[in-house]
Amino acid sequence: MDPPAAKRSRGCPAGPEERDAGAGAVRCRGRPEALLDLSAKRVAESWAFEQVEERFSRVPEPVQKRIVFWSFPRSEREICMYSSLGYQPPEGEHDARVPFTRGLHLLQSGAVDRVLQVGFHLSGNVREPGGPGEPERLYHVSISFDRCKITSVSCGCDNRDLFYCAHVVALSLHRIRHAHQVELRLPISETLSQMNRDQLQKFVQYLISAHHTEVLPTAQRLADEILLLGSEINLVHGAPDPTAGAGIEDANCWHLDEEQIQEQVKQLLSNGGYYGASQQLRSMFCKVREMLRMRDSNGARMLILMTEQFLQDPRLALWRQQGAGMTDKCRQLWDELGALWVCVILSPHCKPEERTSWLQLLSKWDKLDVCPLEEGNYSFDGPSLQATAALIPGPEEEEEEVMAMAAGSRHTVFGRALQAGSLHWSDDHLQRILASDSYSPNLTGNGGSDKPSFDPQGRPLWLGEPFPTTCARVDTLRAHGYPRQALRLASAIVNTLRLQQRHQLQIYKQQKKELLQKGSTCITNMEGWVGHPLDPIGCLCRALLEACRLEEETLAIYPDSGPEKRKVAYQHVPVPGSPGESYLAMALEVALLGLGQQRALPDGLYAQDKVVRNEEQLLALLEEVELDERLVQVLRKQAGQLLEGGPFSGFGEVLFRESVPMHTCARYLFTALLPHDPDLAYRLALRAMRLPVLETAFPAGEPPSNPLDSIMSNRFPRWFILGHLETRQCELASAMLTAAKGDPKWLHAVLGSIQQNIHSPALLFKLAQDACKTATPASAPPDTTLLGIALELGLQVMRMTLNTMTWRRREMVRWLVSCATEIGPQALMNIMQNWYSLFTPVEAATIVAVTGTTHATLLRLQLDAARREELWACARTLALQCAMKDPQNCALPALTLCEKNQAAFEAAYQIVLDAAAGGLGHAHLFTVARYMEHRGLPLRAYKLATLALAQLSIAFNQDSHPAVNDVLWACSLSHSLGRHELSAIVPLIIRSIHCAPMLSDILRRWTLSAPGLGPLGARRAAKPLGADRAPLCQLLDAAVAAYITTSHSRLTHISPRHYSDFIEFLGKARETFLLAPDGHLQFAQFLENLKQTYKGKKKLMLLVRERFG
């Protein structure tokens, strides 16, 4: 860091002042503080030392010393604030990453020495141990301060971090804790004024001698200027003194390295894709809030610097150019930035000129093209809190509101802060609310106001502002260090919400009949409070919960300790002026009011995701609160009001189609209420199971009864988070199923709700699996009712996905059979008997019938012989039905399953024969034929093989046809059966196969051995068949003809690179020709024919002559 600059010039006094060596002593504990110290403290806090010198012509040296002494910061919390970020580093890295902790360790180890305070300048040495094998390092530290604030720092470590280094911390803490040990001197100009000319010359020469390499050029330049009459230095009265404190016009604020802040924010934004970068930027926002809470002006300064860097992020222009949205992490940071600016602008103690300058900056940033827009179509002029709720608006009024919102002007993330610039704190009623816990109608009247100031119980209300704006006031008061005032305003807001809720219920009761007949409702609040950019419910809850926290008062180095922070304990704190009330109960009530509010889902992926995230954050706050009897009563009351809340409640009887579902909130309420009021818990959770956006808005062909419904449907074209919402719905249903185990009444009620409201097969299947697992614990008998519900859900999934096959169907079918097995044989037979509405034929034949009759299944069912045969018969019937419906895929499984029953096996075989006539493919027929041979039925195998061959056709060039092996197998089978079967298959072979190499291969195989004699091929003939005699002579003629035809076909389009292949082909042809008695002559004639026909292919014919003559 740069060395501390001179603060101001001091005039040279005319003569020396008296000195008091006793100044600087600290009062002893238990003794009253001296009047000099009391007054010096106040002056040191608020007056620049120049102002003291101007106000009094002569200030005694003891007084000067006490003012200088008390001008150093006195609070370690402030030192901590400027030397630690607002997040918890990983375990074991505290010393390495937190300068305050390191500085404290250095102080405690005695590393600070040679500490000297000269006026408003503190210096000292800090020794830091080196690493293994490294020498100890010595750092010289300098600190300038003014009015209890450090104004500049310098350290030999050349720290380039955001905040003070550990060495500055060590020296500062040494000055605070051991002030009486620090040698104190008046500003150096006071000492110089006491020297004569010789002493001054000696002082300067010794100073130059001690530091001649550093200061000699500067000393010579200054000497030249002083000796030059009329120089600028001679025209100025006095000389600068870096130890004399600040001037009257100097800003009084803590030292903040602006350049380092800008550089670090820029670097973190460039690494925005990493979690650590976002975490550090959030910690900087926390630091801004910490400064605001300490009422430190650097909070706004730091926020300005950060905002400027955010706006210079090059990704903003890129995203805008590409028309792409920014990342979620970046959007969250911008949201927090905008919310912080609202707190800064709404500051209750800032000067008007400060607010004006901030608003000018915001207005300039707001006009930039790259400035991000606020997502979520939230209103900037929403409805104000009213003591009485208006009637539900008609379609025309609601439509106008919707269209006005849709056509709203451009709103950036700074729009709300700019709007906050028009708010003030001067309202008399507001001032009275903030000033006292006992403000009541007895102290003041309404003063002719058209809005009431108190509820019927005499508790103050705050009306006339939109609810998010009012909650922003609470957040601002907390942020700026006014916790009591924030609590008083929060209480007034809760009183107003309660009054408004009562009036809303009254109005709904008057219109309930009409709304229920209509079956649909207009949304009563387009702008939801949960997920709102200003987070009104969160602000209110945190303010109320903060008053109830049971925590030790310690120095908060880490305001947010992340996942490692200890569990917070809360206690009931009574609300002044409201007997029986507590802030803890109020917080729970407010959270439930916000979470249970019926509201439209906002536009945009991020805005919708924020609704979900904000809801989870609020519920996480509530889950920290241990419920006692008082809080359970609040839960019961609010749950009842939510159920009766009509269009104002997300749990009301009639829902707007686009309203935010209540699943997550309902799950919390269900879990919390279940031990105390199961009936209410189930009624609430069942009501919350609805997801109306997935239901058909209107019956087919029927126009909407309300034009607004069609407008609203167009306004919400996409639910980006629908999958997440369906998952939450499933979790709620699972919680109810688990809790209702053993209670048939509620189990069936939950089942009905699931079947009506859950539309995702995957989630229904998950529910079915969870229910089955819950129903069959390892150490207890199964719950048959819950098992039945699991099976019913599984059957529903099967019906839903029957015509839309998914990759998980196989798993689902296996699980369903397993579940039915758990219930008993009747359930298993039922799904077999009704398979056509649940499974495809393949699934039924290959999974259901097979799995349902495995040894493990039969063992699990523990059936007697009669029941086992009944199950087998059911499975066989299923298999035969599947084979008839889909013989191509189910014939073989049916045959396999029916092996042990002759009648069923014959029926399955007949199905295959019938299917062959109806077009069953040769591949499937060959497969079944091979199976028949394997089962010892060669004649049936032969029959199926001949049927397959009748359908087969292999062309002259298909020597790698997939059926080649099947054909060879069929030929081998017929040969083994006997001459009769062989003679019968030869015409089929000749008719189906036109590939010469294949025909010659079959011919050779048949001539190698004698055919079988009997119908089953038990014995063989004496000698093999000749190729020139029946029945093989027909095959030989066909093979020779095939070679001749194939040769001519190949020669038509042959190229030189295929000549060698053709010669090899002719070689194989000659081998086949020679099997005939006159084969040699036939082959010679064939070659001569080729030579005459293709004499133009001279090279090829030359090769033929060379090989065959």
Side-chain angles (χ1 to χ4, degrees), residues 802 831-840 844 878 881 885:
L802 180 60
I831 65 171
M832 288 184 182
Q833 291 164 358
N834 299 290
W835 70 269
Y836 46 84
S837 64
L838 302 171
F839 314 108
T840 64
L878 165 65
Q881 290 173 347
K885 195 171 183 66

Side-chain angles (χ1 to χ4, degrees), residues 610-833:
K610 189 175 180 182
V611 168
V612 173
R613 189 169 58 250
N614 197 194
E615 192 175 54
E616 291 171 349
Q617 289 167 350
L618 284 170
L619 290 173
L621 275 179
L622 295 186
E623 285 167 357
E624 289 181 348
V625 179
E626 293 186 9
L627 298 176
D628 56 17
E629 188 57 36
R630 292 175 68 180
L631 296 180
V632 169
Q633 290 304 318
V634 173
L635 275 179
R636 280 179 165 171
K637 179 182 176 183
Q638 284 301 311
Q641 290 182 344
L642 287 172
L643 284 172
E644 297 296 326
F648 304 100
S649 166
F651 294 86
E653 292 180 73
V654 181
L655 270 188
F656 170 63
R657 185 171 179 267
E658 304 286 351
S659 61
V660 176
M662 296 286 111
H663 308 134
T664 310
C665 174
R667 189 179 177 193
Y668 165 79
L669 287 170
F670 177 76
T671 307
L673 284 170
L674 190 63
H676 310 284
D677 193 339
D679 185 71
L680 179 60
Y682 279 109
R683 286 195 296 121
L684 193 79
L686 288 171
R687 181 76 64 81
M689 278 291 292
R690 300 168 295 182
L691 190 53
V693 75
L694 293 182
E695 307 294 342
T696 304
F698 311 104
E702 183 177 319
S705 57
N706 184 351
L708 177 64
D709 289 328
S710 58
I711 294 171
M712 295 307 301
S713 298
N714 292 334
R715 179 172 174 264
F716 293 94
R718 294 188 66 184
W719 280 47
F720 296 96
I721 58 168
L722 186 57
H724 177 86
L725 296 176
E726 287 186 286
T727 303
R728 291 289 179 262
Q729 182 188 37
C730 175
E731 290 171 356
L732 174 61
S734 181
M736 286 195 288
L737 282 175
T738 303
K741 180 182 177 182
D743 190 335
K745 170 194 168 185
W746 287 119
L747 278 175
H748 286 100
V750 174
L751 173 63
S753 180
I754 290 171
Q755 291 176 323
Q756 180 182 354
N757 295 297
I758 296 184
H759 306 280
S760 166
L763 294 177
L764 282 170
F765 181 56
K766 183 180 184 305
L767 277 174
Q769 288 179 304
D770 291 347
C772 184
K773 186 176 181 181
T774 305
T776 53
S779 57
D783 185 311
T784 54
T785 307
L786 189 53
L787 262 179
I789 284 174
L791 180 65
E792 184 59 39
L793 290 173
L795 294 176
Q796 184 176 348
V797 172
M798 291 295 103
R799 286 189 286 267
M800 291 173 68
T801 59
L802 180 60
N803 298 319
T804 55
M805 302 298 291
T806 69
W807 62 272
R808 294 192 65 189
R809 276 280 298 188
R810 194 172 186 84
E811 175 195 354
M812 292 174 178
V813 174
R814 288 186 183 281
W815 176 88
L816 189 70
V817 175
S818 172
C819 183
T821 304
E822 290 291 337
I823 295 176
Q826 192 57 50
L828 195 54
M829 286 190 286
N830 283 342
I831 65 171
M832 288 184 182
Q833 291 164 358

